[in-house]
């Protein structure tokens, strides 16, 4: 029988045999934005404590996140036409999805905390985490698009396509941020004003806005899609410009 991994402190040194607390897990979080750090990472720390006591592996939390995220999005997709007809109260559908998406995202935060504190972080777990994130976010895009089409049947097909395409920028930049070659943030300041501006790309805040719109303003969903497409598209262009500038557009003269 193998023993459970010994928890590690924030400094990386082995701790005493005491059980880690939520504060220990929270100290090993990797941020994610003002909303995420304030809400989801804290919930994730509590979930990590429960998972540790139940002796769950970090990947178990990742798979629960996947099931919750996909389930909530599938419910929105399947019930969007009924909500548009008034057969299902949109607020019940939207609020239910919002809570499920947030729980799923908090589990996504907790799996990394659990892996780092218990010393179980590794490339295999990271791969599972990224793939599950891709699946959940694809389902979220489908849920938002289905809501838009159900409530506004004449929504342009190109808007759905552009929205879906630009949304994937979030996944690409998240993967790049986990590598040593990733470029620095476009806005490196840690001031409150800058962090508030960054809420437009904070996944916790984004999920909240999506759930609220689906619940209370479903007819505005096409405008929500357009707004996200513009924000993510501008971020992509700015990131390309920053990366190109760092790479250098003019080669150095080797003889100078």
């Amino acid at each position: 029988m193998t023993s459970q991994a010994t928890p590690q402190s924030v400094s990386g040194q082995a701790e005493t045999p005491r059980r880690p607390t939520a504060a220990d897990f929270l100290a090993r979080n990797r941020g994610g934005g003002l909303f995420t750090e304030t809400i989801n990472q804290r919930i994730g720390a509590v979930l990590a404590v429960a998972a540790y006591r139940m002796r769950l592996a970090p990947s178990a939390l990742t798979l629960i996140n996947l099931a919750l995220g996909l389930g909530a999005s599938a419910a929105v997709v399947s019930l969007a036409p009924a909500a548009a007809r008034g057969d299902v109260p949109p607020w019940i559908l939207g609020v239910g999805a919002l809570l499920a998406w947030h729980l799923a995202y908090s589990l996504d935060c907790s799996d990394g905390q659990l892996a780092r504190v218990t010393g179980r972080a590794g490339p295999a777990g990271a791969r599972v985490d990224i793939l599950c994130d891709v699946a959940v976010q694809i389902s979220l895009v489908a849920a938002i698009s289905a809501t838009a089409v159900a409530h506004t049947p004449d929504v342009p097909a190109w808007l759905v396509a552009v929205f879906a395409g630009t949304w994937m920028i979030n996944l690409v930049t998240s993967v790049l941020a986990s590598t040593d070659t990733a470029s620095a943030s476009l806005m490196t300041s840690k001031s409150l004003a800058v962090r508030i501006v960054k809420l437009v790309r904070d996944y916790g805040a984004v999920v909240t806005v999506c759930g609220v719109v689906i619940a209370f303003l479903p007819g505005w969903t096409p405008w929500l899609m357009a707004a996200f497409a513009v924000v993510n598209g501008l971020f992509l262009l700015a990131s390309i410009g920053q990366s190109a500038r760092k790479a250098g557009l003019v080669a150095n003269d080797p003889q100078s």
Side-chain angles (χ1 to χ4, degrees):
M1 179 183 295
T2 58
S3 59
Q4 190 167 351
T6 303
Q8 296 180 343
S9 67
V10 176
S11 63
Q13 300 297 322
E15 288 187 343
T16 58
R18 74 173 180 84
R19 286 181 175 181
T21 65
D24 296 321
F25 288 108
L26 186 60
R28 300 302 297 274
N29 82 83
R30 289 190 172 178
L34 181 61
F35 189 102
T36 292
E37 291 178 5
T38 304
I39 305 296
N40 298 102
Q41 291 288 7
R42 294 179 184 277
I43 296 174
V46 175
L47 294 173
V49 170
Y52 177 81
R53 293 177 179 175
M54 295 170 65
R55 300 191 176 186
L56 294 178
S59 291
L61 300 182
T62 306
L63 294 177
I64 297 172
N65 153 41
L66 175 66
L68 276 173
L70 293 182
S73 297
V76 173
V77 171
S78 61
L79 294 176
R85 292 192 305 267
D87 297 338
V88 174
W91 74 267
I92 293 180
L93 183 60
V95 171
L98 171 62
L99 294 176
W101 284 330
H102 265 296
L103 180 55
Y105 184 43
S106 297
L107 285 165
D108 188 36
C109 295
S110 69
D111 62 7
Q113 295 178 22
L114 182 64
R116 287 184 288 276
V117 169
T118 60
R120 287 178 163 181
R127 180 180 177 83
V128 172
D129 186 49
I130 291 173
L131 293 175
C132 287
D133 286 346
V134 171
V136 171
Q137 293 205 34
I138 288 174
S139 74
L140 178 61
V141 169
I144 297 170
S145 300
T147 300
V149 172
H151 288 268
T152 312
D154 58 349
V155 62
W158 64 262
L159 176 59
V160 177
V162 171
F163 165 68
T166 54
W167 186 280
M168 293 301 103
I169 296 167
N170 298 312
L171 290 171
V172 173
T173 53
S174 295
V175 172
L176 288 176
S178 65
T179 67
D180 294 333
T181 59
S183 60
S185 171
L186 292 176
M187 295 185 291
T188 58
S189 171
K190 299 295 184 181
S191 69
L192 180 60
V194 169
R195 300 191 77 193
I196 290 175
V197 170
K198 286 185 175 183
L199 283 174
V200 296
R201 302 194 72 256
D202 184 326
Y203 187 72
V206 167
V207 166
T208 299
V209 172
C210 292
V212 168
V213 170
I214 291 172
F216 303 108
L217 298 167
W220 289 22
T221 311
W223 292 102
L224 178 69
M225 295 166 59
F228 279 135
V230 170
V231 168
N232 291 325
L234 290 175
F235 178 80
L236 174 62
L237 292 176
S239 297
I240 291 172
Q242 181 193 56
S243 299
R245 185 170 60 252
K246 287 186 175 182
L249 299 179
V250 179
N252 293 327
D253 185 352
Q255 310 211 352
S256 61

PDB file of all heavy atoms in Angstrom, residues 1-4 49-57 114 120:
ATOM      1  N   MET A   1       0.854  -1.205   0.000  1.00  0.00           N
ATOM      2  CA  MET A   1       0.000   0.000   0.000  1.00  0.00           C
ATOM      3  C   MET A   1       0.876   1.235   0.000  1.00  0.00           C
ATOM      4  O   MET A   1       1.835   1.318   0.762  1.00  0.00           O
ATOM      5  CB  MET A   1      -0.893  -0.004   1.246  1.00  0.00           C
ATOM      6  CG  MET A   1      -1.782   1.230   1.328  1.00  0.00           C
ATOM      7  SD  MET A   1      -2.755   1.270   2.843  1.00  0.00           S
ATOM      8  CE  MET A   1      -3.786  -0.167   2.596  1.00  0.00           C
ATOM      9  N   THR A   2       0.586   2.180  -0.856  1.00  0.00           N
ATOM     10  CA  THR A   2       1.359   3.415  -0.903  1.00  0.00           C
ATOM     11  C   THR A   2       0.765   4.426   0.039  1.00  0.00           C
ATOM     12  O   THR A   2      -0.455   4.519   0.192  1.00  0.00           O
ATOM     13  CB  THR A   2       1.360   3.981  -2.332  1.00  0.00           C
ATOM     14  OG1 THR A   2       0.025   4.204  -2.725  1.00  0.00           O
ATOM     15  CG2 THR A   2       2.051   3.028  -3.290  1.00  0.00           C
ATOM     16  N   SER A   3       1.611   5.197   0.651  1.00  0.00           N
ATOM     17  CA  SER A   3       1.142   6.228   1.582  1.00  0.00           C
ATOM     18  C   SER A   3       0.798   7.486   0.813  1.00  0.00           C
ATOM     19  O   SER A   3       1.295   7.714  -0.285  1.00  0.00           O
ATOM     20  CB  SER A   3       2.214   6.532   2.632  1.00  0.00           C
ATOM     21  OG  SER A   3       3.378   6.978   1.987  1.00  0.00           O
ATOM     22  N   GLN A   4      -0.037   8.310   1.436  1.00  0.00           N
ATOM     23  CA  GLN A   4      -0.439   9.562   0.791  1.00  0.00           C
ATOM     24  C   GLN A   4       0.732  10.531   0.765  1.00  0.00           C
ATOM     25  O   GLN A   4       1.563  10.559   1.682  1.00  0.00           O
ATOM     26  CB  GLN A   4      -1.606  10.182   1.554  1.00  0.00           C
ATOM     27  CG  GLN A   4      -2.225  11.338   0.829  1.00  0.00           C
ATOM     28  CD  GLN A   4      -3.544  11.704   1.455  1.00  0.00           C
ATOM     29  OE1 GLN A   4      -4.039  10.992   2.304  1.00  0.00           O
ATOM     30  NE2 GLN A   4      -4.115  12.802   1.026  1.00  0.00           N
ATOM     31  N   VAL A  49      -9.361  21.282   0.685  1.00  0.00           N
ATOM     32  CA  VAL A  49      -9.306  20.693   2.031  1.00  0.00           C
ATOM     33  C   VAL A  49     -10.184  19.446   2.085  1.00  0.00           C
ATOM     34  O   VAL A  49      -9.767  18.392   2.585  1.00  0.00           O
ATOM     35  CB  VAL A  49      -9.758  21.716   3.098  1.00  0.00           C
ATOM     36  CG1 VAL A  49      -9.926  21.032   4.453  1.00  0.00           C
ATOM     37  CG2 VAL A  49      -8.754  22.849   3.208  1.00  0.00           C
ATOM     38  N   ALA A  50     -11.411  19.577   1.575  1.00  0.00           N
ATOM     39  CA  ALA A  50     -12.324  18.430   1.582  1.00  0.00           C
ATOM     40  C   ALA A  50     -11.764  17.280   0.751  1.00  0.00           C
ATOM     41  O   ALA A  50     -11.829  16.108   1.159  1.00  0.00           O
ATOM     42  CB  ALA A  50     -13.688  18.858   1.047  1.00  0.00           C
ATOM     43  N   ALA A  51     -11.197  17.600  -0.420  1.00  0.00           N
ATOM     44  CA  ALA A  51     -10.634  16.562  -1.279  1.00  0.00           C
ATOM     45  C   ALA A  51      -9.443  15.877  -0.609  1.00  0.00           C
ATOM     46  O   ALA A  51      -9.275  14.657  -0.710  1.00  0.00           O
ATOM     47  CB  ALA A  51     -10.210  17.172  -2.612  1.00  0.00           C
ATOM     48  N   TYR A  52      -8.624  16.660   0.087  1.00  0.00           N
ATOM     49  CA  TYR A  52      -7.463  16.093   0.788  1.00  0.00           C
ATOM     50  C   TYR A  52      -7.917  15.108   1.860  1.00  0.00           C
ATOM     51  O   TYR A  52      -7.345  14.022   2.006  1.00  0.00           O
ATOM     52  CB  TYR A  52      -6.644  17.225   1.410  1.00  0.00           C
ATOM     53  CG  TYR A  52      -5.456  16.733   2.214  1.00  0.00           C
ATOM     54  CD1 TYR A  52      -4.284  16.367   1.579  1.00  0.00           C
ATOM     55  CD2 TYR A  52      -5.537  16.616   3.603  1.00  0.00           C
ATOM     56  CE1 TYR A  52      -3.201  15.894   2.313  1.00  0.00           C
ATOM     57  CE2 TYR A  52      -4.471  16.149   4.339  1.00  0.00           C
ATOM     58  CZ  TYR A  52      -3.300  15.786   3.690  1.00  0.00           C
ATOM     59  OH  TYR A  52      -2.245  15.312   4.416  1.00  0.00           O
ATOM     60  N   ARG A  53      -8.939  15.485   2.612  1.00  0.00           N
ATOM     61  CA  ARG A  53      -9.429  14.614   3.679  1.00  0.00           C
ATOM     62  C   ARG A  53     -10.093  13.357   3.133  1.00  0.00           C
ATOM     63  O   ARG A  53     -10.102  12.309   3.778  1.00  0.00           O
ATOM     64  CB  ARG A  53     -10.397  15.382   4.569  1.00  0.00           C
ATOM     65  CG  ARG A  53      -9.698  16.495   5.358  1.00  0.00           C
ATOM     66  CD  ARG A  53     -10.657  17.315   6.187  1.00  0.00           C
ATOM     67  NE  ARG A  53      -9.943  18.344   6.946  1.00  0.00           N
ATOM     68  CZ  ARG A  53     -10.525  19.270   7.683  1.00  0.00           C
ATOM     69  NH1 ARG A  53     -11.857  19.312   7.763  1.00  0.00           N
ATOM     70  NH2 ARG A  53      -9.799  20.159   8.343  1.00  0.00           N
ATOM     71  N   MET A  54     -10.642  13.470   1.924  1.00  0.00           N
ATOM     72  CA  MET A  54     -11.257  12.301   1.273  1.00  0.00           C
ATOM     73  C   MET A  54     -10.242  11.500   0.459  1.00  0.00           C
ATOM     74  O   MET A  54     -10.595  10.501  -0.167  1.00  0.00           O
ATOM     75  CB  MET A  54     -12.396  12.769   0.359  1.00  0.00           C
ATOM     76  CG  MET A  54     -13.556  13.415   1.087  1.00  0.00           C
ATOM     77  SD  MET A  54     -14.744  14.200  -0.050  1.00  0.00           S
ATOM     78  CE  MET A  54     -15.346  12.755  -0.933  1.00  0.00           C
ATOM     79  N   ARG A  55      -8.995  11.969   0.457  1.00  0.00           N
ATOM     80  CA  ARG A  55      -7.898  11.312  -0.258  1.00  0.00           C
ATOM     81  C   ARG A  55      -8.155  11.215  -1.763  1.00  0.00           C
ATOM     82  O   ARG A  55      -7.793  10.231  -2.424  1.00  0.00           O
ATOM     83  CB  ARG A  55      -7.620   9.923   0.329  1.00  0.00           C
ATOM     84  CG  ARG A  55      -7.219   9.968   1.788  1.00  0.00           C
ATOM     85  CD  ARG A  55      -6.707   8.638   2.265  1.00  0.00           C
ATOM     86  NE  ARG A  55      -6.243   8.721   3.642  1.00  0.00           N
ATOM     87  CZ  ARG A  55      -5.634   7.730   4.287  1.00  0.00           C
ATOM     88  NH1 ARG A  55      -5.416   6.570   3.659  1.00  0.00           N
ATOM     89  NH2 ARG A  55      -5.243   7.882   5.535  1.00  0.00           N
ATOM     90  N   LEU A  56      -8.758  12.265  -2.300  1.00  0.00           N
ATOM     91  CA  LEU A  56      -8.977  12.320  -3.738  1.00  0.00           C
ATOM     92  C   LEU A  56      -7.722  12.826  -4.438  1.00  0.00           C
ATOM     93  O   LEU A  56      -7.017  13.697  -3.921  1.00  0.00           O
ATOM     94  CB  LEU A  56     -10.152  13.240  -4.067  1.00  0.00           C
ATOM     95  CG  LEU A  56     -11.530  12.804  -3.594  1.00  0.00           C
ATOM     96  CD1 LEU A  56     -12.559  13.866  -3.970  1.00  0.00           C
ATOM     97  CD2 LEU A  56     -11.912  11.455  -4.192  1.00  0.00           C
ATOM     98  N   ALA A  57      -7.460  12.311  -5.609  1.00  0.00           N
ATOM     99  CA  ALA A  57      -6.351  12.801  -6.427  1.00  0.00           C
ATOM    100  C   ALA A  57      -6.765  14.106  -7.104  1.00  0.00           C
ATOM    101  O   ALA A  57      -7.952  14.324  -7.352  1.00  0.00           O
ATOM    102  CB  ALA A  57      -5.968  11.761  -7.474  1.00  0.00           C
ATOM    103  N   LEU A 114      -4.394  21.526  -4.784  1.00  0.00           N
ATOM    104  CA  LEU A 114      -4.193  20.206  -4.179  1.00  0.00           C
ATOM    105  C   LEU A 114      -2.938  19.534  -4.720  1.00  0.00           C
ATOM    106  O   LEU A 114      -2.158  18.938  -3.965  1.00  0.00           O
ATOM    107  CB  LEU A 114      -5.420  19.334  -4.447  1.00  0.00           C
ATOM    108  CG  LEU A 114      -5.400  17.926  -3.846  1.00  0.00           C
ATOM    109  CD1 LEU A 114      -5.367  17.985  -2.327  1.00  0.00           C
ATOM    110  CD2 LEU A 114      -6.612  17.121  -4.326  1.00  0.00           C
ATOM    111  N   ARG A 120       1.852  16.446  -5.939  1.00  0.00           N
ATOM    112  CA  ARG A 120       1.400  15.589  -7.029  1.00  0.00           C
ATOM    113  C   ARG A 120       1.358  16.299  -8.368  1.00  0.00           C
ATOM    114  O   ARG A 120       0.842  15.762  -9.344  1.00  0.00           O
ATOM    115  CB  ARG A 120       0.002  15.049  -6.717  1.00  0.00           C
ATOM    116  CG  ARG A 120      -0.017  13.989  -5.635  1.00  0.00           C
ATOM    117  CD  ARG A 120      -1.442  13.545  -5.352  1.00  0.00           C
ATOM    118  NE  ARG A 120      -1.476  12.291  -4.640  1.00  0.00           N
ATOM    119  CZ  ARG A 120      -2.594  11.670  -4.283  1.00  0.00           C
ATOM    120  NH1 ARG A 120      -3.768  12.207  -4.594  1.00  0.00           N
ATOM    121  NH2 ARG A 120      -2.551  10.536  -3.632  1.00  0.00           N
TER     122      ARG A 120
END
